[in-house]
Amino acid sequence: MTKQSDELNSLHKEIVILNEHLSSQKGMYEMTTAYLKNIQDELNLAKGKLEAINKDLTDSINYSKHIQDAFIVQIDKLREMIPNSFMFQSPKNIVSGDFTWAFADGEEIYLGVGDCTGHGVPGAMLSIFVISMLNEIISSNRDYNPAEILTHLDGLMFKYLTLYNATIRDSVEIAIIKLNLRKSKLTFASAKRPIVIIRNGELTMTKGTKYLLGDPYKRNEELRNFEFDLEKGDLIFLYSDGFADQFGGQNSTKFTNKRLLELLQSNSNLELCNQFEEIKETFYTHKGENSQIDDVLLLGFQI
Amino acid sequence: MSADNTASKLLPGLNYKYDEVVKKDYGIVFALPEQHILICELFNEYTPIEEFKEIFRATVPIIEKLQTTKFIFDKQNLRVFHQPSMEWYFIEWKKEIYAKGLSAHRKILPQSEPAFALAVEAGRAKILKEFPDTIIDKLDIQYSTNIADAIAK
């Protein structure tokens, strides 16, 4: 009887422990599940906050694009001055460091294509500053030639960008032309950006001066004007470096300036609107799935 | 089935003088007197709370006597994490031995048991949330993958 009782007690104890074991196992999984759910809830909350912040930032940048667009010459305005023209623009982000500037004074047209260092918001802020300075310069004297405009821009950039903060190292590469369509005259001056003129299929590229605007210690040459007598049918192109520097193709290599010149030359017998389509298609085909590395701006017109 | 590289299996092969200072149905405690270390190994997948407390209570006078500075908890045989036991271990036992000068804890979790490791993390988070005055931030707690590493670091 005692032996049976001992066995029963022992069995009872084992069952109690087994129950406790199972109950603990259940508790362990419930606690872990609750812990993971809590982490998931926190992540969802953080995701919601990040999405809201992202939306605020994107809305803000989208709105700043409207402001930047008010400063930059758009294609319709350009065509009022030069009817047979196009602009291929592909900003890396919503706002761009590449910009066009234009000013018409009677039959004289001033046109600039600029490429501010960097891209996105910093590039866009600098572009608005540069455009404002260009407007100020041309308003103060409408007889300035492109080299004089750039010289004044250089002085203003040095004055304002180093006035309060000596650490600003940003600048702009910019080509400026003064165009008289009636007289078929073009004057070109530039800090680092080239001009391409194609006449009867023959391409001439004039490089910009090696000159960093706003930094008196980084220049190898003086700014100077180049004069061109134009003929009917001449094609003129101004562009930033984003197109040539874009990686793509089978080996993910840069498009290169050489290929860009070949592209402009090989399309030069097409109607200008078709040249624009070819340029656009070539860029996006080359880029493929690669990320865009910089802003792209290419402006073309035909006399 | 017990794990292969627990303290009781590996200690004989290591070059340390050690004594068996506590032995119960559910666990064993070794002392490395020269290193002032105690090592506790639990035998089963699950240890009932009273048996758990019995083993750990038995360590308190030994910790004091041997001036123990490090406690290694070998949990490699465990598969069930019992939160009430862990709360008692954290809140009461660790506090008691901290008062006796022991603040270094090394833990060896079961290998290839992510559910158990996750339960440890969940349990620890629950304790920190429910017992904000715990002494946990005063302790040197580190995880090891084997007994030799736990003794050394």
Side-chain angles (χ1 to χ4, degrees):
Chain A
M1 207 44 196
T2 310
K3 193 183 171 196
Q4 272 183 332
S5 174
D6 285 349
E7 279 175 0
L8 273 175
N9 278 340
S10 170
L11 199 59
H12 176 72
K13 197 180 171 190
E14 269 182 43
I15 289 171
V16 168
I17 290 170
L18 195 62
N19 269 336
E20 216 180 287
H21 183 156
L22 289 172
S23 149
S24 297
Q25 200 157 35
K26 189 168 170 261
M28 169 179 152
Y29 287 120
E30 282 172 355
M31 182 181 71
T32 309
T33 307
Y35 174 67
L36 290 175
K37 189 182 176 304
N38 191 37
I39 290 176
Q40 193 179 30
D41 290 346
E42 283 174 13
L43 285 174
N44 284 337
L45 198 68
K47 183 172 174 253
K49 281 182 188 169
L50 283 174
E51 280 171 353
I53 291 167
N54 187 47
K55 186 180 178 305
D56 278 354
L57 281 173
T58 308
D59 288 350
S60 169
I61 295 170
N62 278 329
Y63 191 73
S64 17
K65 178 170 166 48
H66 289 295
I67 296 171
Q68 191 187 29
D69 284 350
F71 280 80
I72 292 174
V73 172
Q74 306 298 318
I75 185 64
D76 51 346
K77 199 76 184 168
L78 177 69
R79 282 185 179 146
E80 283 177 15
M81 301 178 196
I82 311 170
N84 206 9
S85 58
F86 73 84
M87 269 196 274
F88 171 53
Q89 296 174 91
S90 180
K92 175 177 162 55
N93 305 114
I94 299 167
V95 287
S96 171
D98 288 3
F99 65 91
T100 46
W101 168 78
F103 181 84
D105 181 27
E107 58 186 23
E108 305 289 355
I109 297 164
Y110 293 87
L111 189 60
V113 167
D115 178 353
C116 293
T117 49
H119 45 76
V121 174
M125 288 178 75
L126 191 58
S127 75
I128 289 175
F129 168 78
V130 172
I131 292 167
S132 302
M133 293 302 105
L134 289 170
N135 287 332
E136 190 178 310
I137 293 161
I138 202 70
S139 299
S140 70
N141 186 338
R142 297 183 175 201
D143 291 329
Y144 281 145
N145 60 49
E148 287 170 333
I149 291 172
L150 287 180
T151 303
H152 282 86
L153 178 62
D154 178 47
L156 290 170
M157 287 183 71
F158 179 71
K159 178 181 171 187
Y160 289 118
L161 294 183
T162 58
L163 187 59
Y164 299 110
N165 189 342
T167 60
I168 293 178
R169 290 283 177 269
D170 293 287
S171 188
V172 59
E173 296 182 357
I174 182 169
I176 290 185
I177 60 169
K178 184 177 179 182
L179 180 68
N180 187 313
L181 289 171
R182 190 183 62 80
K183 294 178 184 168
S184 297
K185 291 275 187 192
L186 186 150
T187 309
F188 163 78
S190 165
K192 291 192 165 181
R193 297 314 311 155
I195 186 170
V196 168
I197 300 176
I198 301 177
R199 177 174 296 167
N200 299 322
E202 194 169 315
L203 184 148
T204 312
M205 186 185 75
T206 306
K207 287 183 177 177
T209 305
K210 289 175 183 166
Y211 197 99
L212 188 68
L213 292 172
D215 188 339
Y217 303 106
K218 290 186 179 172
R219 49 198 54 166
N220 303 326
E221 309 169 52
E222 287 303 305
L223 289 163
R224 55 169 288 209
N225 288 310
F226 296 83
E227 308 279 349
F228 298 95
D229 291 315
L230 300 176
E231 291 181 8
K232 189 167 171 49
D234 282 355
L235 286 160
I236 291 99
F237 297 98
L238 301 166
Y239 48 89
S240 67
D241 58 5
F243 198 124
D245 286 348
Q246 178 60 45
F247 285 93
Q250 279 189 332
N251 300 318
S252 200
T253 51
K254 282 188 180 185
F255 190 79
T256 71
N257 201 48
K258 181 172 174 281
R259 280 179 68 194
L260 178 59
L261 296 178
E262 286 167 1
L263 174 71
L264 297 177
Q265 192 168 24
S266 64
N267 288 331
S268 63
N269 58 338
L270 301 174
E271 291 291 320
L272 199 69
C273 59
N274 293 333
Q275 292 187 36
F276 168 65
E277 291 300 329
E278 283 294 322
I279 286 165
K280 190 167 79 171
E281 195 182 322
T282 303
F283 177 76
Y284 288 117
T285 304
H286 171 74
K287 177 178 160 295
E289 296 300 312
N290 292 281
S291 301
Q292 189 169 326
I293 63 156
D294 198 1
D295 300 318
V296 174
L297 173 61
L298 191 152
L299 185 151
F301 61 89
Q302 189 159 32
I303 302 300
Chain B
M1 198 171 79
S2 69
D4 292 333
N5 52 350
T6 57
S8 55
K9 289 180 180 164
L10 295 188
L11 261 183
L14 299 176
N15 196 21
Y16 293 107
K17 180 178 174 291
Y18 68 95
D19 304 309
E20 187 183 299
V21 289
V22 176
K23 184 152 189 193
K24 305 282 183 188
D25 290 346
Y26 282 86
I28 190 165
V29 180
F30 300 102
L32 275 60
E34 289 172 10
Q35 285 74 27
H36 302 279
I37 291 174
L38 281 196
I39 302 168
C40 172
E41 176 188 332
L42 296 179
F43 294 143
N44 301 328
E45 285 191 8
Y46 170 71
T47 306
I49 189 164
E50 286 313 317
E51 279 74 2
F52 181 85
K53 286 180 180 177
E54 187 187 7
I55 295 166
F56 278 82
R57 278 188 187 124
T59 64
V60 177
I62 305 165
I63 286 168
E64 195 163 19
K65 186 180 164 195
L66 298 180
Q67 297 180 308
T68 308
T69 54
K70 186 195 284 185
F71 191 92
I72 299 170
F73 187 3
D74 186 344
K75 302 181 184 182
Q76 291 182 86
N77 291 321
L78 282 176
R79 293 295 177 270
V80 177
F81 182 87
H82 187 238
Q83 180 67 5
S85 299
M86 285 303 123
E87 285 180 7
W88 174 85
Y89 160 77
F90 258 99
I91 306 304
E92 295 191 27
W93 181 79
K94 275 191 178 174
K95 193 175 175 184
E96 189 178 354
I97 61 160
Y98 177 70
K100 296 184 187 307
L102 199 160
S103 61
H105 292 265
R106 301 292 177 264
K107 299 176 184 192
I108 310 171
L109 296 183
Q111 308 298 305
S112 311
E113 286 291 334
F116 188 88
L118 199 56
V120 170
E121 195 182 316
R124 188 183 165 93
K126 190 168 181 282
I127 290 169
L128 288 173
K129 190 179 171 189
E130 292 175 5
F131 302 94
D133 295 333
T134 168
I135 54 156
I136 206 161
D137 57 336
K138 297 187 176 96
L139 304 178
D140 164 24
I141 301 173
Q142 294 181 44
Y143 287 88
S144 293
T145 52
N146 60 70
I147 195 71
D149 177 57
I151 293 169
K153 80 173 180 186

